Amino acid sequence: MAYKIVKDNCTGCSACEPECPNEAISESKDGLFIIDPAKCTECIGHHDQPQCVAVCPIEETCVIDDNYPRYQAA
Amino acid sequence: MQTEQHQSGADGAENHAGANVDEIMQKVAEHKGCGTSGGSGKASCGSGAGENDLPTEIWEKVKNHPCYSEEAHHHYARMHVAVAPACNIQCNYCNRKYDCANESRPGVVSEKLTPEQAAKKVLAVASTIPQMTVLGIAGPGDPLANPEKTFKTFELVAKYAPDIKLCVSTNGLTLPDHVERLSKYNIDHVTITINMVDPEVGAKIYPWVYYNKKRYHGVEAAKILTDRQLQGLEMLTERGILSKINSVMIPGINDEHLVEVNKAVKSRGAFLHNIMPLISAPEHGTVFGLTGQRGPTAQELKALQDNCEGEMNMMRHCRQCRADAVGLLGEDRSAEFTTDKVMEMEVSYDLEARKAYQEAVEKERQAVVDAKKAELAGLAGEHSDIKMLIAVATKGSGKVNEHFGHAKEFQVYELSTSGAKFVGHRRVDLYCQGGYGEEDSLATIIRAINDCHAVFVAKIGGCPKNDLKAAGIDPVDQYAGEFIEQSAIAYFKDYLDKVKSGEIQHVERGDAQIRQGALTAAEAA
C-alpha cells in the first residue's frame, strides 16, 4: 500500500512535499499535490510516522491507497 | 535617506550581534519605564511612543513601521506577500481549508505567489505607493515552515528595493533554527504569536504540532511549542532584533492567562505586545467558530490591554490583516495588485522619488505632532478624573477627513487631562458577516462605537446626526480637515468647561461590539 492524497481535501499548501523522504510528492497542474505510488514507501525505514499524514493540516487527506501492494513487509 | 537607513540598520545588526545581552535588555527595559509611572506617563508611552520616549536606535527601527509605531501607521503603508502556504501547527482559531476573496482573517489570501512573483509585486506596489515602507511575510501558513520561499523572497527584495524594511510573522515553532539566517538577512522586526506559556492552556488552543518529523498532540505539543517560542524570543533579543508578540484573546481559555504571558515575554525582551480579539464566526469553519467560542467585547479587550500596559508597550492599532494585505493599515488595495495585473505592469523603481515623497510625509507627520503639543499646553495644570472615548472618521495623515457615511472603520481615542491617546479602531462594515446586511447599518455603527461620547467626522447628514444624538453620541463635524489629536484635546477642554459650569453632566457610556475581521478589497472597492 502507498499513501494517496484526496484531491477534494488538499488545499495545495505544499507542507507535505519537502517532508517526503522519497520525493514521491509533487505539485500537479491544478496547484494541488499528488503522490507517486511507485516511490512511496509509507516512510517505513525513514520515520516513525508517515510524513505526509503527520504534517497535513486537513484530516483524512493523506490516506492509504489500497490499490497498491505494501512497499515492504514489516 | 532610506538607503542610508537601511545601511545603518545593517551596521546596527552587526553591532548587536556582538553586543552584551544585558545591555540590550536594559535598553528595552529603560524605554518601558514610562509605562510603570502611571497616569500621564502611560499616555505618552505604549505603541504610540514617539521619538523622545525611545532609545535612538529603537526609534530608528520603528519610526516608519506602521505595525510597530502607532504614530507611523497614520502615514506609512505595509504590504504582505503570500509566499508561505505551509504550516507546522494547528490552531483552533484557524481553518486551513478556507480561502475566500471576500473574507478577511489573518491567513486568508486570494493568490499564492512564488518568490519571484512576490518580488515583482513588491516593486510594483512600492512604485505606486511611495509611503510603503515595510514588507512582511505572514503566511498564509507559517513563513518559517516555508524557509526557502520566505528567505528567497527577502533576498530578491533586498537586492532590488534596498530601502524597504523586511519583517516576518511566525508561530515560533522553528524560530530557534532560523534566527541566524534572519539576522543575516537584516530582518530587524519579528512578530511571534504566543497565546500561552502554560501547556495546559495551550492544549485547549493547539490540537497538534509537527516537530522533528513527528506529530505531537495535546499538552505535549503545547509544551514543545512554548519552549521553542520562548527560546526563539530570547535568541532574537540577544541579537538586537525587535520582537513584537501577538496574542489572541480567547475568553474563558487564555484571557486571564495573557497577563502571565505578557510578563514572560517582557522579561525576555519583547518590545511590543499586541493582544487581539478572537475571530470566531461560525461560517469561517474554525474549531472555535463551530464550538461557539465567543470573542471578547470591546471593553473586555481594552481592560486586558490596560491591565498589561503597566508591564510593557501595548499595540492598539492592529487590524488583523489578511496575509496578502496592501496599503495603510485599515485600507486594502490588494485588488489593484493581483498577479495578472502585476505581471503586466512596467515597473521603474525610483529610489529618489520614494525618498522625496517620504520627506514630504515626514513634514506632514511633524505638523501633527506639533499641533498636538501646542493644544496639550492648554490642558497643562488641568486635573480631572473624567475619561471619555471618541470615535474618529479618518482616511489617514492624522486628520479628521472622512465622511461619516464613507467610513469603514472609526479610530478610537481616549481623552483625559493627560491628552488624547489612541486605544483602538472599530470596523463598521464587513461583507461576509451574515445577518448584518439586513439590518439598518446605522444601528450596527452605533453598536460598534456605543462606548464613545462623540464621533468626529468631516461631514455627516441630518438623519444619522439625529440618530447618533438620540443614542447619546455627539456627532462633531466642526473639526473637518483638522488634526485628530489637536481637535480631540480642544473638544475635551470644551467638554470639561461645560461640566464645570454645570451646562452638561458627565455620564459613563456602555460597552461596544467588536466586528470580526479586517477590511477587504471587495469592501473597499
Side-chain angles (χ1 to χ4, degrees), chain A residues 8-15 17-19 31 47-49 51-59, chain B residues 84-90 95-99 112 145-146 149 208-210 212-216:
Chain A
D8 285 350
N9 289 351
C10 179
T11 63
C13 81
S14 78
E17 187 188 13
E19 303 302 338
H47 303 292
D48 294 344
Q49 299 172 353
Q51 294 301 291
C52 54
V53 179
V55 75
C56 180
I58 312 289
E59 304 301 322
Chain B
C87 197
N88 47 17
I89 72 174
Q90 181 65 43
N95 176 3
R96 303 274 311 149
K97 219 184 161 188
Y98 211 85
D99 268 6
K112 285 173 281 195
N146 303 255
K149 289 170 183 164
W208 57 262
V209 309
Y210 173 78
N212 272 352
K213 305 291 176 189
K214 279 187 190 170
R215 181 180 285 206
Y216 294 87

Side-chain angles (χ1 to χ4, degrees), chain B residues 5 37 77-78 109 120 162 226 292 320 336 489:
Chain B
Q5 266 176 27
S37 63
R78 54 72 181 102
V109 296
K120 174 93 194 273
T226 182
Q320 296 177 281
E336 293 169 46
I489 296 165

Side-chain angles (χ1 to χ4, degrees), chain B residues 109-364:
Chain B
V109 296
S110 298
E111 298 177 302
K112 285 173 281 195
L113 304 173
T114 64
E116 289 74 18
Q117 287 171 328
K120 174 93 194 273
K121 181 171 176 175
V122 172
L123 294 178
V125 171
S127 304
T128 314
I129 307 177
Q131 67 270 47
M132 198 280 279
T133 52
V134 170
L135 166 69
I137 298 185
D142 185 69
L144 298 183
N146 303 255
E148 297 317 314
K149 289 170 183 164
T150 295
F151 287 111
K152 181 69 186 172
T153 305
F154 285 147
E155 185 189 318
L156 291 169
V157 173
K159 185 175 171 188
Y160 295 108
D163 62 324
I164 290 176
K165 284 183 183 294
L166 306 174
C167 57
V168 68
S169 183
T170 177
N171 61 41
L173 182 64
T174 69
L175 181 57
D177 307 331
H178 297 293
V179 170
E180 280 309 321
R181 211 166 167 193
L182 288 165
S183 183
K184 190 181 138 206
Y185 279 95
N186 191 29
I187 288 154
D188 48 22
H189 310 88
V190 172
T191 296
I192 317 170
T193 300
I194 300 183
N195 297 317
M196 53 86 205
V197 289
D198 175 354
E200 296 287 341
V201 175
K204 296 174 189 162
I205 303 170
Y206 305 102
W208 57 262
V209 309
Y210 173 78
Y211 176 65
N212 272 352
K213 305 291 176 189
K214 279 187 190 170
R215 181 180 285 206
Y216 294 87
H217 298 267
V219 174
E220 192 184 12
K223 174 82 171 68
I224 293 168
L225 183 61
T226 182
D227 286 350
R228 298 281 289 174
Q229 288 173 330
L230 296 179
Q231 186 195 349
L233 171 59
E234 287 170 7
M235 291 171 74
L236 292 172
T237 301
E238 282 167 15
R239 284 156 185 81
I241 300 173
L242 285 186
S243 305
K244 167 170 132 258
I245 305 303
N246 279 353
S247 297
V248 180
M249 180 182 180
I250 311 162
I253 291 186
N254 73 345
D255 46 351
E256 291 172 9
H257 178 61
L258 285 178
V259 177
E260 200 180 320
V261 170
N262 180 268
K263 286 178 182 155
V265 299
K266 188 208 170 186
S267 71
R268 287 167 178 82
F271 164 74
L272 188 64
H273 196 184
N274 173 25
I275 298 179
M276 303 173 288
L278 171 72
I279 297 173
S280 60
E283 61 268 29
H284 296 161
T286 63
V287 169
F288 283 148
L290 297 174
T291 57
Q293 170 64 51
R294 73 172 180 93
T297 69
Q299 245 174 36
E300 287 170 337
L301 180 67
K302 184 174 180 295
L304 178 61
Q305 289 173 335
D306 289 349
N307 195 7
C308 291
E309 190 164 53
E311 295 295 325
M312 71 184 289
N313 294 338
M314 298 301 295
M315 175 171 177
R316 312 262 190 168
H317 61 282
C318 177
R319 304 301 199 284
Q320 296 177 281
C321 312
R322 289 163 58 101
D324 57 4
V326 172
L328 289 166
L329 301 195
E331 172 184 87
D332 184 11
R333 295 180 61 178
S334 61
E336 293 169 46
F337 301 97
T338 59
T339 307
D340 286 350
K341 289 179 187 169
V342 164
M343 291 307 139
E344 281 174 13
M345 282 184 190
E346 288 283 333
V347 176
S348 67
Y349 194 76
D350 188 341
L351 213 54
E352 286 305 310
R354 282 175 54 78
K355 184 180 147 189
Y357 189 95
Q358 288 174 19
E359 279 169 1
V361 170
E362 280 302 305
K363 279 186 191 154
E364 186 179 76

Side-chain angles (χ1 to χ4, degrees), chain B residues 417-434:
Chain B
T417 45
S418 304
K421 173 187 166 190
F422 181 87
V423 294
H425 61 91
R426 302 287 164 73
R427 284 293 327 285
V428 289
D429 192 17
L430 191 60
Y431 185 85
C432 270
Q433 190 81 46

